[in-house]
Amino acid sequence: MSVQALPSYWTWLMPFLNWLPKINGRDLRADFIAGLTGAVVVLPQGVAFATIAGMPPQYGLYAGMIPAIIAALFGSSRHLVSGPTTAASVVLFSALSIHAIPGSPDYVTLALTLTFMVGVFELVLGLARMGALVNFISHAVVVGFTAGAAILIAAKQLKYFFGVDMDNGGNLTELLFRFTQHLDGINAYAVLIAVVTLLSGIATKRWLKRVPYMVVAILVGSLLSVGLNAWLGTDITHIATVGALPDSFPPLSAPVLTLENIKMLAPAALAVTLFALTEAVSIGRAMAARGGYNINGNQEFIGQGLSNLAGSFFSGYVSTGSFNRTGVNYESGAKTPMAAVFAGLLLIFVVVLVAPYAAYLPKAAMAGVLFLVAWGLIDWHEIREIISFSKRETVVLAVTFFSALFLDLEFAIFLGVMLSLVLYLEKVSKPRILTRTPDKNLPNHAFSTDPDLPQCQQLRFVGVEGSLFFGSVNHMEETFGKIRVEHPQQKHLAVICEGINFADLQGSHALYKEAKQRQADGGNLYLINVKEGLWDALEACECFDKEGSRNVFQSKSAAIHAIYQKLDKSLCEGCTTHLFKECSGTVATHAKS
């Protein structure tokens, strides 16, 4: 049976069947080269990220193997590469370091359990078609959290950068205070290696942009460490190294799903899930836009969920879409998801070959590289843009940033998301309600919001810009009530509904209530240019009966002509404003429909 003849549920269960049979030899060669490049680049990154996460170094490499393969096969992006990332590593360390000693067997067990739980959350959200959930995490939250995490990364590496013996747990204030108490223990040789690594990385990134700067920086730092140890001896330099990595395939592992662990890790797992999915989907969308294709957010959720579930059984901690590896994958000429599959497979064999040489990798060099990583995470351009664009977004950015520095990182994510939603709801709960008046200075006497323009003494037009739901009803009722009190002679109110996309039951009842109030006062309520969402709501609640439906118009000219017939003509006789062509003895100044 050909792939084209397979039932649709097979391609849904195994999405790689949509693209795998279509790969030709040229694409396969391009994907292999891109995968090999990605496997080399992830070597220093994996060790660095594992260090951030408080995990043994090899676990950062394991997280880039099986999870990357599964995410590529079951996701929807052609270029997204999954694996360990800085943000996920920082959150993992923040969540677990209070429960176990980083690097200890108990800590690793908790990390595997958390990874399994994250995978379950991601998979459930994907199967429930909740791909739009990541849209509720605003860009300001991501930028603020990432900047805060970057500073924490650098602070947590002070121990290795300066070669001091100190605890690198806690928030920023605790870290800096603890560091000042160990200034007398600074190791000059470690500082030299860290600085040289940092400078070589900066130079490579600036002048040799096609060369992986992290690889070069670590090689330079490692060679300097070997030279110093050979010249002066390890008894004098006291340069700490990562130590040899296991030269084996990723060992099998298993999460420990006790009720105590689940209760303890659930908040952190949810926070990691939200942030990891935001990272993956955002990177996937960015690459899809550059590559000229679309991704399926729900399928990405499923792919990420399966990758973390698999990772928890193959010694990998939380993985998600990696911006660095995805960028390298795209720039290296990857054509299909097979590039990420190759990257994961090749990494397994590359690790076996280079693992013994990690014994020469100084922790000071890793600290220098992580200083570079931290600096690159702070998006100064986006920060300036957010600050200049919106005070609300600036508040969200600042709260998330400082929460990441001084509170738990997972709490910073929740706080940023909640504040974003609160500010959004506060904004949409107050739709703009502006008086509209025909302006003879505009083409065809179009409606204007100029408050100085003369108005009809019996009829007021208002435009509502925002949907009518339970959160905005109170604001609308207060505004309409204020109009009745301040302008009692304007008994007729015409609402221009172009800006109302939908209404719920409470919003529909509010319009009905206003109509009844105006009828009792001797006037009426009229709706102009009603959209389908509002009309369906009015019909569903039966708020406007057959008689009331006569006060709904789909053009301004028809509305004005009908409403004019209901005005008190005795008041019109003494009027000198003459806004409409229907006003007897006036020049037509009728607003354009």
Side-chain angles (χ1 to χ4, degrees), residues 109-195:
T109 299
L110 289 178
L112 294 172
T113 305
L114 179 69
T115 302
F116 181 87
M117 293 174 65
V118 169
V120 170
F121 284 155
E122 291 176 331
L123 184 59
V124 169
L125 290 173
L127 293 175
R129 322 306 289 172
M130 298 291 287
L133 186 64
V134 296
N135 296 332
F136 290 98
I137 302 181
S138 73
H139 186 57
V141 172
V142 175
V143 173
F145 173 84
T146 307
I151 294 176
L152 270 182
I153 289 170
K156 290 178 182 294
Q157 293 307 307
L158 290 175
K159 170 181 180 178
Y160 305 111
F161 195 98
F162 292 95
V164 298
D165 184 16
M166 59 172 268
D167 179 15
N168 64 345
N171 59 38
L172 180 64
T173 305
E174 295 169 340
L175 284 166
L176 295 179
F177 177 74
R178 205 174 295 129
F179 177 66
T180 59
Q181 294 179 315
H182 292 80
L183 293 178
D184 57 342
I186 290 177
N187 184 335
Y189 302 105
V191 174
L192 177 62
I193 291 171
V195 171

Coordinates of all heavy atoms in Angstrom, one line a residue, residues 109-195:
T109 N 17.3 11.6 39.5 CA 16.0 10.9 39.5 C 14.8 11.9 39.5 O 13.9 11.7 38.7 CB 15.9 10.1 40.8 OG1 16.9 9.1 40.8 CG2 14.5 9.4 40.8
L110 N 14.9 13.0 40.2 CA 13.9 14.0 40.2 C 13.8 14.7 38.8 O 12.7 15.0 38.3 CB 14.1 15.1 41.3 CG 13.9 14.7 42.7 CD1 14.2 15.8 43.7 CD2 12.5 14.2 42.9
A111 N 15.0 14.9 38.2 CA 15.0 15.5 36.9 C 14.3 14.6 35.8 O 13.6 15.1 35.0 CB 16.5 15.8 36.4
L112 N 14.6 13.3 35.9 CA 14.0 12.4 35.0 C 12.5 12.3 35.2 O 11.7 12.3 34.3 CB 14.6 11.0 35.2 CG 16.0 10.8 34.8 CD1 16.5 9.5 35.2 CD2 16.2 11.0 33.3
T113 N 12.1 12.4 36.5 CA 10.6 12.4 36.8 C 9.9 13.7 36.3 O 8.8 13.6 35.7 CB 10.4 12.3 38.3 OG1 11.1 11.1 38.8 CG2 9.0 12.2 38.7
L114 N 10.6 14.8 36.5 CA 10.1 16.1 36.0 C 10.0 16.0 34.5 O 9.0 16.5 33.9 CB 11.0 17.2 36.4 CG 10.6 18.6 36.0 CD1 9.3 19.1 36.7 CD2 11.7 19.6 36.2
T115 N 11.0 15.5 33.8 CA 10.9 15.4 32.3 C 9.7 14.5 31.9 O 9.1 14.9 30.9 CB 12.2 14.7 31.8 OG1 13.3 15.6 32.3 CG2 12.3 14.6 30.3
F116 N 9.5 13.4 32.5 CA 8.4 12.6 32.2 C 7.0 13.3 32.4 O 6.2 13.3 31.5 CB 8.4 11.3 33.1 CG 7.2 10.4 32.8 CD1 7.4 9.4 31.8 CD2 6.0 10.5 33.5 CE1 6.3 8.5 31.6 CE2 5.0 9.6 33.2 CZ 5.1 8.6 32.3
M117 N 6.9 14.1 33.5 CA 5.7 14.8 33.7 C 5.5 15.9 32.7 O 4.4 16.2 32.2 CB 5.7 15.4 35.1 CG 5.7 14.4 36.2 SD 5.9 15.1 37.9 CE 4.5 16.1 38.0
V118 N 6.6 16.6 32.3 CA 6.5 17.6 31.3 C 6.0 17.0 30.0 O 5.2 17.5 29.2 CB 7.8 18.3 31.1 CG1 7.8 19.2 29.8 CG2 8.2 19.2 32.3
G119 N 6.6 15.8 29.6 CA 6.1 15.1 28.4 C 4.7 14.8 28.4 O 4.0 14.9 27.4
V120 N 4.2 14.3 29.6 CA 2.7 14.0 29.7 C 1.9 15.3 29.5 O 0.9 15.3 28.8 CB 2.4 13.4 31.1 CG1 0.9 13.3 31.3 CG2 3.1 12.0 31.2
F121 N 2.3 16.4 30.2 CA 1.5 17.6 30.0 C 1.5 18.1 28.6 O 0.4 18.4 28.0 CB 2.1 18.7 30.9 CG 1.8 18.6 32.3 CD1 2.7 19.2 33.3 CD2 0.7 18.0 32.8 CE1 2.4 19.1 34.6 CE2 0.4 17.9 34.1 CZ 1.2 18.4 35.1
E122 N 2.6 18.0 27.9 CA 2.7 18.5 26.5 C 1.9 17.6 25.6 O 1.2 18.1 24.7 CB 4.2 18.4 26.1 CG 5.0 19.5 26.7 CD 6.5 19.4 26.3 OE1 7.0 18.3 26.0 OE2 7.2 20.5 26.3
L123 N 2.0 16.3 25.8 CA 1.2 15.3 25.0 C -0.3 15.5 25.2 O -1.1 15.6 24.2 CB 1.6 13.9 25.3 CG 1.0 12.8 24.5 CD1 1.3 13.0 23.0 CD2 1.4 11.4 25.0
V124 N -0.7 15.7 26.4 CA -2.2 15.9 26.7 C -2.7 17.2 26.0 O -3.7 17.2 25.4 CB -2.4 15.9 28.2 CG1 -3.8 16.4 28.5 CG2 -2.2 14.5 28.8
L125 N -1.9 18.2 26.2 CA -2.3 19.5 25.5 C -2.3 19.4 24.0 O -3.2 20.0 23.4 CB -1.3 20.6 25.9 CG -1.3 21.1 27.4 CD1 -0.2 22.0 27.7 CD2 -2.6 21.7 27.7
G126 N -1.4 18.6 23.4 CA -1.4 18.4 22.0 C -2.6 17.6 21.5 O -3.3 18.0 20.6
L127 N -2.9 16.5 22.3 CA -4.1 15.7 21.9 C -5.4 16.4 22.1 O -6.4 16.2 21.4 CB -4.1 14.4 22.7 CG -2.9 13.4 22.4 CD1 -2.9 12.3 23.4 CD2 -3.0 13.0 21.0
A128 N -5.4 17.4 23.1 CA -6.6 18.2 23.4 C -6.7 19.4 22.4 O -7.6 20.2 22.6 CB -6.6 18.6 24.8
R129 N -5.8 19.5 21.4 CA -5.8 20.5 20.4 C -5.7 21.9 21.1 O -6.4 22.8 20.8 CB -7.1 20.5 19.6 CG -7.5 19.1 19.2 CD -6.5 18.3 18.5 NE -6.1 18.7 17.2 CZ -5.1 18.2 16.4 NH1 -4.3 17.3 17.0 NH2 -4.8 18.7 15.2
M130 N -4.8 22.0 22.0 CA -4.6 23.3 22.8 C -3.4 24.0 22.3 O -2.7 24.7 23.1 CB -4.5 23.0 24.3 CG -5.7 22.4 24.9 SD -7.1 23.5 24.9 CE -6.6 24.6 26.2
G131 N -3.1 23.9 21.0 CA -1.9 24.5 20.4 C -1.9 26.0 20.6 O -0.8 26.7 20.6
A132 N -3.1 26.7 20.7 CA -3.1 28.1 20.8 C -2.8 28.6 22.2 O -2.7 29.8 22.5 CB -4.5 28.6 20.4
L133 N -2.6 27.7 23.1 CA -2.3 28.0 24.5 C -1.1 28.9 24.7 O -1.1 29.8 25.5 CB -2.2 26.8 25.4 CG -2.0 27.0 26.9 CD1 -3.3 27.6 27.5 CD2 -1.7 25.7 27.6
V134 N -0.1 28.7 23.9 CA 1.2 29.4 24.0 C 1.0 30.9 23.6 O 1.8 31.7 23.9 CB 2.3 28.8 23.1 CG1 2.7 27.4 23.6 CG2 1.9 28.8 21.7
N135 N -0.1 31.2 22.9 CA -0.4 32.6 22.6 C -0.6 33.5 23.8 O -0.6 34.7 23.7 CB -1.5 32.7 21.6 CG -1.3 32.0 20.3 OD1 -0.1 31.9 19.8 ND2 -2.3 31.5 19.6
F136 N -1.0 32.8 24.9 CA -1.3 33.6 26.1 C 0.0 34.0 26.9 O -0.1 34.7 27.9 CB -2.2 32.8 27.0 CG -3.6 32.7 26.5 CD1 -4.0 31.6 25.8 CD2 -4.5 33.7 26.6 CE1 -5.3 31.5 25.3 CE2 -5.8 33.6 26.1 CZ -6.2 32.5 25.4
I137 N 1.1 33.5 26.4 CA 2.4 33.9 27.0 C 2.9 35.1 26.1 O 3.4 34.8 25.0 CB 3.4 32.8 27.1 CG1 2.8 31.6 27.9 CG2 4.7 33.3 27.7 CD1 3.8 30.4 28.1
S138 N 2.8 36.3 26.6 CA 3.2 37.4 25.8 C 4.7 37.5 25.5 O 5.5 36.9 26.3 CB 2.7 38.7 26.5 OG 3.6 39.0 27.6
H139 N 5.0 38.2 24.5 CA 6.4 38.4 24.1 C 7.2 39.0 25.2 O 8.4 38.7 25.5 CB 6.5 39.2 22.8 CG 7.9 39.3 22.3 ND1 8.7 38.2 21.9 CD2 8.7 40.4 22.0 CE1 9.8 38.6 21.5 NE2 9.9 39.9 21.5
A140 N 6.6 39.9 25.9 CA 7.3 40.6 27.0 C 7.7 39.7 28.2 O 8.7 39.8 28.8 CB 6.4 41.8 27.6
V141 N 6.8 38.7 28.4 CA 7.1 37.7 29.4 C 8.4 36.9 29.0 O 9.3 36.6 29.8 CB 5.9 36.7 29.6 CG1 6.3 35.5 30.5 CG2 4.8 37.4 30.3
V142 N 8.4 36.5 27.7 CA 9.6 35.7 27.2 C 10.8 36.5 27.3 O 11.9 36.0 27.8 CB 9.3 35.2 25.8 CG1 10.5 34.5 25.2 CG2 8.1 34.3 25.7
V143 N 10.8 37.7 26.8 CA 12.0 38.6 26.8 C 12.4 38.9 28.3 O 13.6 38.8 28.6 CB 11.7 39.9 26.1 CG1 12.9 40.9 26.2 CG2 11.4 39.7 24.6
G144 N 11.5 39.2 29.1 CA 11.9 39.5 30.5 C 12.4 38.3 31.3 O 13.4 38.4 32.0
F145 N 11.8 37.1 31.1 CA 12.2 35.9 31.7 C 13.6 35.5 31.2 O 14.5 35.2 32.0 CB 11.3 34.8 31.5 CG 11.8 33.4 32.0 CD1 11.6 33.1 33.3 CD2 12.4 32.6 31.1 CE1 12.1 31.9 33.7 CE2 12.9 31.4 31.6 CZ 12.7 31.0 32.9
T146 N 13.8 35.6 29.9 CA 15.1 35.2 29.3 C 16.2 36.1 29.8 O 17.3 35.7 30.1 CB 15.0 35.3 27.8 OG1 13.9 34.5 27.4 CG2 16.3 34.7 27.2
A147 N 16.0 37.4 29.9 CA 17.0 38.4 30.4 C 17.3 38.1 31.8 O 18.5 38.1 32.2 CB 16.5 39.8 30.2
G148 N 16.3 37.8 32.6 CA 16.5 37.5 34.0 C 17.3 36.2 34.2 O 18.3 36.1 35.0
A149 N 16.9 35.2 33.4 CA 17.6 33.9 33.4 C 19.1 34.1 33.0 O 20.0 33.4 33.5 CB 16.9 32.9 32.5
A150 N 19.3 34.9 32.0 CA 20.7 35.2 31.6 C 21.6 35.7 32.7 O 22.7 35.2 32.8 CB 20.7 36.1 30.4
I151 N 21.1 36.7 33.4 CA 21.9 37.2 34.5 C 22.1 36.1 35.6 O 23.2 36.0 36.2 CB 21.2 38.5 35.1 CG1 21.2 39.6 34.0 CG2 21.9 38.9 36.4 CD1 20.4 40.8 34.5
L152 N 21.1 35.3 35.8 CA 21.3 34.3 36.8 C 22.3 33.2 36.3 O 23.1 32.7 37.1 CB 19.9 33.6 37.1 CG 19.1 34.1 38.2 CD1 17.8 33.3 38.3 CD2 19.8 34.1 39.5
I153 N 22.3 32.9 35.0 CA 23.3 32.0 34.5 C 24.7 32.5 34.8 O 25.6 31.8 35.3 CB 23.1 31.8 33.0 CG1 21.8 31.1 32.7 CG2 24.3 31.1 32.3 CD1 21.4 31.1 31.3
A154 N 24.9 33.8 34.5 CA 26.3 34.4 34.7 C 26.6 34.3 36.2 O 27.7 34.0 36.6 CB 26.3 35.8 34.1
A155 N 25.6 34.7 37.0 CA 25.9 34.7 38.5 C 26.2 33.3 39.0 O 27.1 33.2 39.9 CB 24.7 35.3 39.2
K156 N 25.6 32.3 38.5 CA 25.8 31.0 39.0 C 27.1 30.4 38.5 O 27.6 29.4 39.0 CB 24.6 30.0 38.6 CG 23.3 30.3 39.3 CD 22.2 29.4 38.8 CE 20.9 29.8 39.5 NZ 20.9 29.5 41.0
Q157 N 27.7 31.1 37.5 CA 29.0 30.6 37.0 C 30.2 31.4 37.6 O 31.4 31.1 37.3 CB 29.1 30.8 35.5 CG 28.2 29.9 34.7 CD 28.3 28.4 35.1 OE1 29.4 27.9 35.1 NE2 27.2 27.8 35.5
L158 N 29.9 32.3 38.5 CA 31.0 33.0 39.2 C 31.9 32.1 40.0 O 33.1 32.3 40.0 CB 30.4 34.0 40.2 CG 29.7 35.2 39.6 CD1 29.0 36.1 40.7 CD2 30.6 36.1 38.8
K159 N 31.3 31.0 40.5 CA 32.1 30.0 41.2 C 33.2 29.4 40.4 O 34.4 29.3 40.8 CB 31.2 28.9 41.7 CG 31.9 27.7 42.3 CD 30.8 26.6 42.7 CE 31.6 25.4 43.3 NZ 30.6 24.4 43.8
Y160 N 32.9 29.1 39.1 CA 33.8 28.4 38.2 C 34.7 29.5 37.5 O 35.9 29.2 37.2 CB 33.1 27.6 37.2 CG 32.2 26.5 37.9 CD1 30.8 26.6 37.8 CD2 32.7 25.5 38.6 CE1 30.0 25.7 38.4 CE2 31.9 24.5 39.2 CZ 30.5 24.7 39.1 OH 29.7 23.7 39.7
F161 N 34.1 30.6 37.2 CA 34.9 31.7 36.5 C 36.1 32.1 37.3 O 37.2 32.4 36.8 CB 34.0 32.8 36.2 CG 34.5 33.8 35.1 CD1 34.1 33.7 33.8 CD2 35.4 34.8 35.5 CE1 34.6 34.6 32.9 CE2 35.9 35.7 34.5 CZ 35.5 35.6 33.2
F162 N 35.9 32.3 38.6 CA 36.9 32.7 39.5 C 37.6 31.6 40.3 O 38.5 31.9 41.1 CB 36.4 33.8 40.4 CG 36.0 35.1 39.7 CD1 34.7 35.3 39.3 CD2 37.0 36.1 39.5 CE1 34.3 36.5 38.7 CE2 36.6 37.2 38.8 CZ 35.3 37.4 38.4
G163 N 37.1 30.4 40.1 CA 37.7 29.3 40.8 C 37.6 29.3 42.3 O 38.5 28.8 43.0
V164 N 36.5 29.8 42.8 CA 36.3 29.8 44.3 C 35.4 28.7 44.7 O 34.6 28.1 43.9 CB 35.6 31.2 44.7 CG1 36.6 32.3 44.4 CG2 34.3 31.4 44.1
D165 N 35.5 28.3 46.0 CA 34.8 27.2 46.5 C 33.5 27.7 47.3 O 33.6 28.1 48.4 CB 35.6 26.3 47.5 CG 34.9 25.1 48.0 OD1 33.9 24.8 47.4 OD2 35.4 24.5 49.0
M166 N 32.4 27.8 46.6 CA 31.2 28.4 47.2 C 30.0 27.7 46.6 O 30.0 27.1 45.5 CB 31.1 29.9 46.9 CG 31.1 30.2 45.4 SD 30.7 32.0 45.0 CE 29.0 31.9 44.9
D167 N 28.9 27.8 47.3 CA 27.6 27.2 46.9 C 27.0 28.2 45.9 O 26.9 29.4 46.1 CB 26.7 27.1 48.1 CG 25.3 26.5 47.7 OD1 25.2 26.0 46.6 OD2 24.4 26.7 48.5
N168 N 26.6 27.6 44.7 CA 26.1 28.5 43.7 C 24.5 28.4 43.6 O 24.0 28.6 42.5 CB 26.7 28.3 42.3 CG 26.4 26.9 41.8 OD1 26.0 26.0 42.5 ND2 26.7 26.7 40.5
G169 N 23.9 28.1 44.7 CA 22.4 28.0 44.7 C 21.8 29.4 45.2 O 22.5 30.2 45.6
G170 N 20.5 29.5 45.1 CA 19.8 30.7 45.6 C 19.6 31.7 44.5 O 19.9 31.6 43.3
N171 N 19.0 32.9 44.9 CA 18.7 33.9 44.0 C 19.9 34.9 43.8 O 21.0 34.6 44.4 CB 17.5 34.8 44.4 CG 17.7 35.4 45.8 OD1 18.8 35.8 46.1 ND2 16.6 35.4 46.6
L172 N 19.8 35.9 43.0 CA 20.9 36.8 42.6 C 21.5 37.4 43.9 O 22.8 37.5 44.0 CB 20.4 37.8 41.7 CG 21.5 38.8 41.2 CD1 22.6 38.1 40.4 CD2 20.9 39.9 40.3
T173 N 20.7 37.9 44.8 CA 21.3 38.6 45.9 C 22.1 37.7 46.8 O 23.2 38.0 47.2 CB 20.1 39.2 46.8 OG1 19.3 40.0 46.0 CG2 20.7 40.0 48.0
E174 N 21.6 36.4 47.0 CA 22.4 35.5 47.8 C 23.7 35.1 47.1 O 24.7 34.9 47.8 CB 21.5 34.2 48.0 CG 20.3 34.5 48.9 CD 19.3 33.3 48.8 OE1 19.4 32.5 47.9 OE2 18.4 33.3 49.8
L175 N 23.6 34.9 45.8 CA 24.8 34.5 45.1 C 25.9 35.6 45.2 O 27.1 35.3 45.4 CB 24.5 34.3 43.6 CG 23.8 33.0 43.3 CD1 23.2 33.0 41.9 CD2 24.8 31.8 43.4
L176 N 25.5 36.9 44.9 CA 26.5 38.0 45.0 C 27.0 38.1 46.4 O 28.3 38.4 46.6 CB 25.8 39.3 44.5 CG 25.4 39.3 43.0 CD1 24.8 40.6 42.7 CD2 26.6 39.0 42.1
F177 N 26.2 38.0 47.4 CA 26.7 38.2 48.8 C 27.7 37.1 49.1 O 28.7 37.3 49.7 CB 25.5 38.2 49.7 CG 25.9 38.2 51.2 CD1 26.3 39.4 51.7 CD2 25.8 37.1 52.0 CE1 26.7 39.5 53.1 CE2 26.2 37.1 53.3 CZ 26.6 38.4 53.9
R178 N 27.3 35.8 48.7 CA 28.2 34.7 49.0 C 29.5 34.9 48.3 O 30.6 34.5 48.8 CB 27.5 33.4 48.5 CG 27.9 32.2 49.3 CD 27.1 31.0 48.9 NE 25.7 31.2 49.3 CZ 24.7 31.0 48.5 NH1 24.9 30.7 47.2 NH2 23.4 31.2 48.9
F179 N 29.5 35.4 47.0 CA 30.7 35.6 46.3 C 31.7 36.6 47.0 O 32.9 36.4 47.0 CB 30.4 36.0 44.9 CG 31.6 36.3 44.0 CD1 32.5 35.3 43.6 CD2 31.9 37.6 43.6 CE1 33.6 35.6 42.9 CE2 33.0 37.9 42.8 CZ 33.8 36.9 42.5
T180 N 31.1 37.7 47.5 CA 31.9 38.7 48.2 C 32.6 38.1 49.4 O 33.7 38.6 49.8 CB 31.1 39.9 48.6 OG1 30.0 39.5 49.5 CG2 30.5 40.6 47.4
Q181 N 32.1 37.0 50.0 CA 32.7 36.4 51.1 C 33.8 35.5 50.7 O 34.5 35.0 51.6 CB 31.6 35.6 51.9 CG 30.6 36.5 52.6 CD 29.5 35.7 53.3 OE1 29.1 34.7 52.8 NE2 29.2 36.2 54.5
H182 N 34.0 35.2 49.4 CA 35.1 34.3 49.0 C 36.1 35.0 48.1 O 36.8 34.3 47.3 CB 34.4 33.1 48.3 CG 33.6 32.2 49.1 ND1 32.3 32.5 49.5 CD2 33.9 31.0 49.7 CE1 31.9 31.5 50.3 NE2 32.8 30.6 50.4
L183 N 36.1 36.3 48.1 CA 37.1 37.0 47.2 C 38.5 36.6 47.5 O 39.3 36.6 46.6 CB 36.9 38.5 47.4 CG 35.6 39.1 47.0 CD1 35.5 40.6 47.2 CD2 35.3 38.8 45.5
D184 N 38.8 36.2 48.7 CA 40.2 35.9 49.0 C 40.6 34.5 48.5 O 41.8 34.2 48.5 CB 40.4 35.9 50.5 CG 39.5 35.0 51.3 OD1 38.5 34.6 50.7 OD2 39.7 34.6 52.4
G185 N 39.6 33.8 48.0 CA 39.9 32.4 47.4 C 40.0 32.4 45.9 O 40.0 31.3 45.3
I186 N 40.0 33.5 45.3 CA 40.0 33.6 43.8 C 41.3 32.9 43.3 O 42.4 33.1 43.7 CB 39.9 35.0 43.3 CG1 38.5 35.6 43.6 CG2 40.2 35.1 41.8 CD1 38.4 37.0 43.2
N187 N 41.1 32.0 42.2 CA 42.2 31.3 41.6 C 42.5 32.0 40.3 O 41.8 32.1 39.4 CB 41.7 29.9 41.3 CG 42.8 29.0 40.7 OD1 43.8 29.5 40.1 ND2 42.7 27.7 40.8
A188 N 43.7 32.6 40.3 CA 44.2 33.5 39.2 C 44.3 32.6 37.9 O 44.0 33.2 36.8 CB 45.5 34.1 39.5
Y189 N 44.6 31.4 38.0 CA 44.8 30.5 36.8 C 43.4 30.2 36.2 O 43.2 30.2 35.0 CB 45.5 29.2 37.1 CG 46.9 29.4 37.7 CD1 47.1 29.3 39.1 CD2 47.9 29.9 36.9 CE1 48.3 29.5 39.7 CE2 49.2 30.1 37.5 CZ 49.4 29.9 38.8 OH 50.6 30.2 39.4
A190 N 42.4 30.0 37.1 CA 41.1 29.8 36.6 C 40.5 31.0 35.9 O 39.9 31.0 34.8 CB 40.1 29.4 37.7
V191 N 40.8 32.2 36.5 CA 40.4 33.5 35.9 C 41.0 33.7 34.5 O 40.3 34.1 33.6 CB 40.7 34.7 36.8 CG1 40.3 36.0 36.2 CG2 39.9 34.5 38.2
L192 N 42.3 33.3 34.4 CA 43.0 33.5 33.2 C 42.4 32.6 32.1 O 42.1 33.1 31.0 CB 44.5 33.1 33.3 CG 45.3 33.2 32.1 CD1 45.4 34.6 31.5 CD2 46.7 32.7 32.4
I193 N 42.1 31.4 32.4 CA 41.5 30.5 31.4 C 40.1 31.0 31.0 O 39.7 31.0 29.9 CB 41.4 29.1 32.0 CG1 42.8 28.5 32.2 CG2 40.5 28.2 31.2 CD1 42.8 27.2 32.9
A194 N 39.3 31.4 32.0 CA 37.9 31.9 31.7 C 38.0 33.1 30.8 O 37.2 33.2 29.9 CB 37.2 32.2 33.0
V195 N 38.9 34.1 31.1 CA 38.9 35.3 30.4 C 39.4 35.0 28.9 O 38.8 35.6 28.0 CB 39.9 36.3 31.1 CG1 40.1 37.5 30.1 CG2 39.3 36.8 32.4

